[in-house]
Amino acid sequence: MKSFRNMAVLLALVFYSSLLLVAQTKVMPEYNVNVQQPGATYKFSFVHITDVHIGEGFSDYGTPGFVNDTMPAVDNSQPAKSLREAVKWINANYQEKNIRFVIVSGDLTGSAETSEFMMFKSIMKDLKVPYVPCIGNHDVWSYVRFGQEAPYAYGDSLMNEIFAEEYDKARLFFDNWNDGTRLTRTYNPETGLETYLQNFSFEYEGAVFYITDFNPRYHVRKEEPGIGPEAQLMNWSGGTFQWFKKSLENQTNKKPKNTFVVSHHPPTDNFLIIAAGFAFEYDELNQLTNMLVPFRQQLALWMSGHVHRNADYKIAAPGGIDIVTVREMGSNKDYDSSHFEIVNVYEIPQATTIVKEKNELLTLIPNAGNGVFQVSGMPEGSNVWSAFDATGRKVAGAAIPPFYGNQQNTAVIDISFLPAGWYQITVLTQKGVFSAPYVRQ
């Protein structure tokens, strides 16, 4: 009998060890930022995880209510199990993968109950690297059910309170930590209330990170609890849009593709997602896109969740000029053994070599000007133009537009969206690359 018990214990240990091994050896998706750029060198890696949804599936998580309720002693639900699996995998692989930190891009909870936040924090306390919690729409308005919910959206206050220790640790770990609007009460003209918009920034080994809060604070406009799934720019004094724009304008650490943006809602132009009310409406998306155009050379990656899908696409400006790549991640809770992405960051040399060759037949008129000019004297077969700034970085480029009027080998190029300064305009032809300087006034 004793021998049988020993065998049973041994089999149980083997089974448990096999489960642990599977969790630790699962291959997680990876994304390389800037790896294709000439001269790029590897710097570090971090993890992007999203839509954890602790408490989802419970009519009332933990002890009764949502204010100062306590978390359950045990939670074996799928959201909690998937988060534990993520922590387990990262702890087992962070040294080999050079993972320095973790960003959780919102929906930490199912309904912003205090108990849900506390369970999330309890599971994440075992993580061996720092993590940055970000707010999502499910974290904004505390509720148990419709009719039994907070009088207004104060989930951002809970974020500040419950994760104060984590933010303090992050302030010491990262460079140039800036609390932005996170700790400042901002008046919301739509609700008539003040709120703590969770916008902040930090740097790490030359990379700049902006955490943005586009979650509305008004109640969903139907008989459901909490807020709706839509994104909102909040373009008013102290709002997210103006904070984000001003931060990009005042960013001192401007290098090629060194800036990362995190938001719960993705900046997608997918018609079905917008029509379903899960993203920015088109007018606000266009406003956001146009604002980002002058900063596209520094923008490396935009990371989001919310839609619970894995997607990769680019935000493009009018005329087809790419601004930044967007990576959407699927929900961690939807995978038994967790789901997240390892982001490998490569640094681009700040100055690159541009073509010095000059062709006297390539004429730019007017020069200087407002950014719209005529290029004449192009050889036959001209097909691509590029603009380089004074540091040698390529800042614009496209296929050569149709010839201008009836003038042979003449085209009009528009770089009016670029800031004033000196630029080198190059034209790629079958006979080589030709260039001429241009002054944008």
Side-chain angles (χ1 to χ4, degrees), residues 210 239-252 254 291 295:
Y210 290 106
T240 298
F241 180 80
Q242 294 191 19
W243 172 84
F244 188 26
K245 181 175 184 291
K246 185 176 180 181
S247 297
L248 288 169
E249 290 172 343
N250 295 334
Q251 181 175 323
T252 57
K254 293 183 179 181
M291 183 275 285
F295 312 106

Side-chain angles (χ1 to χ4, degrees), residues 342-367:
I342 302 169
V343 181
N344 303 313
V345 180
Y346 288 74
E347 184 179 59
I348 304 174
Q350 190 163 4
T352 57
T353 302
I354 64 173
V355 177
K356 299 295 184 180
E357 182 180 3
K358 180 178 178 181
N359 181 2
E360 295 181 357
L361 296 178
L362 191 60
T363 304
L364 313 181
I365 303 174
N367 191 358

Side-chain angles (χ1 to χ4, degrees), residues 176-288:
N176 297 324
W177 179 276
N178 188 324
D179 282 310
T181 64
R182 191 178 69 83
L183 300 177
T184 304
R185 297 180 74 81
T186 300
Y187 178 74
N188 185 328
E190 290 191 335
T191 63
L193 300 172
E194 292 182 333
T195 188
Y196 293 101
L197 295 175
Q198 298 292 291
N199 301 303
F200 54 98
S201 64
F202 56 87
E203 298 182 21
Y204 187 79
E205 291 201 7
V208 181
F209 291 80
Y210 290 106
I211 311 300
T212 56
D213 179 358
F214 294 111
N215 301 281
R217 297 303 195 269
Y218 51 79
H219 195 276
V220 61
R221 297 185 174 104
K222 51 186 174 181
E223 292 190 350
E224 294 180 0
I227 69 169
E230 68 270 22
Q232 184 188 28
L233 278 184
M234 291 181 277
N235 184 11
W236 53 72
S237 178
T240 298
F241 180 80
Q242 294 191 19
W243 172 84
F244 188 26
K245 181 175 184 291
K246 185 176 180 181
S247 297
L248 288 169
E249 290 172 343
N250 295 334
Q251 181 175 323
T252 57
N253 180 11
K254 293 183 179 181
K255 297 178 182 178
K257 303 296 181 185
N258 77 325
T259 302
F260 296 75
V261 183
V262 179
S263 67
H264 183 62
H265 297 80
T268 178
D269 64 354
N270 182 288
F271 171 77
L272 295 177
I273 294 175
I274 293 176
F278 276 78
F280 295 102
E281 294 183 352
Y282 278 111
D283 59 338
E284 290 203 334
L285 179 62
N286 290 336
Q287 189 177 354
L288 177 63

